Amino acid sequence: MVAPLVYFARAVDGLDRRAVLGAAKVVAAELEKSGLRMTDPVDAWMRSDRLRSPDDHVLLVQSDLGLLRRCDGVLMDMSIPDRNYLGCTCELTYAYLWRIPSVVWVGDTGLERRPWLRYHATTVVRTRPEAVAALTGLLLA
């Protein structure tokens, strides 16, 4: 049996790319310990000469949606306070419409009270360990 594939979504714009990629490696290792595989859209951009330019928004979004469509679940980090999570929100909406279970961790942002987030996410939790555990339960139950 092939391990379920998880799409990792999080804030990217305006953040140090090395830090964003480094955090994904930590999350990938946590998911692997739980019996899940991870795909990282940021890593896909970095490996593709076509996607390196943020000006080509069409290719970038189409690439992300193509990766998302092939996944069994979504793990989403929305834990940075006062952050505009436009990309994550769109990814969450697609996941909902495509019936891909999504677990979002929000830290101390207060986003867990947002009705639209609660409606579209399968589960909303505070911490990454809670999110990994919840997604593992959803995908390996």
Side-chain angles (χ1 to χ4, degrees), residues 50-128:
R50 293 181 5 198
L51 296 173
R52 286 188 188 207
S53 170
D55 296 331
D56 196 344
H57 63 279
V58 173
L59 276 178
L60 187 123
V61 170
Q62 288 176 347
S63 171
D64 285 4
L65 291 177
L67 290 173
L68 174 61
R69 187 70 163 141
R70 292 189 295 272
C71 288
D72 302 296
V74 174
L75 182 65
M76 187 172 293
D77 176 1
M78 296 179 80
S79 64
I80 301 172
D82 302 316
R83 177 80 187 193
N84 180 354
Y85 284 100
L86 185 58
C88 286
T89 302
C90 292
E91 290 163 328
L92 184 61
T93 302
Y94 275 94
Y96 175 82
L97 293 172
W98 291 338
R99 293 183 171 90
I100 301 170
S102 302
V103 177
V104 181
W105 86 83
V106 297
D108 294 324
T109 62
L111 291 174
E112 72 277 0
R113 295 186 302 268
R114 298 298 190 98
W116 282 77
L117 178 62
R118 290 178 18 222
Y119 180 88
H120 289 87
T122 307
T123 306
V124 179
V125 297
R126 290 264 179 155
T127 68
R128 183 174 71 220

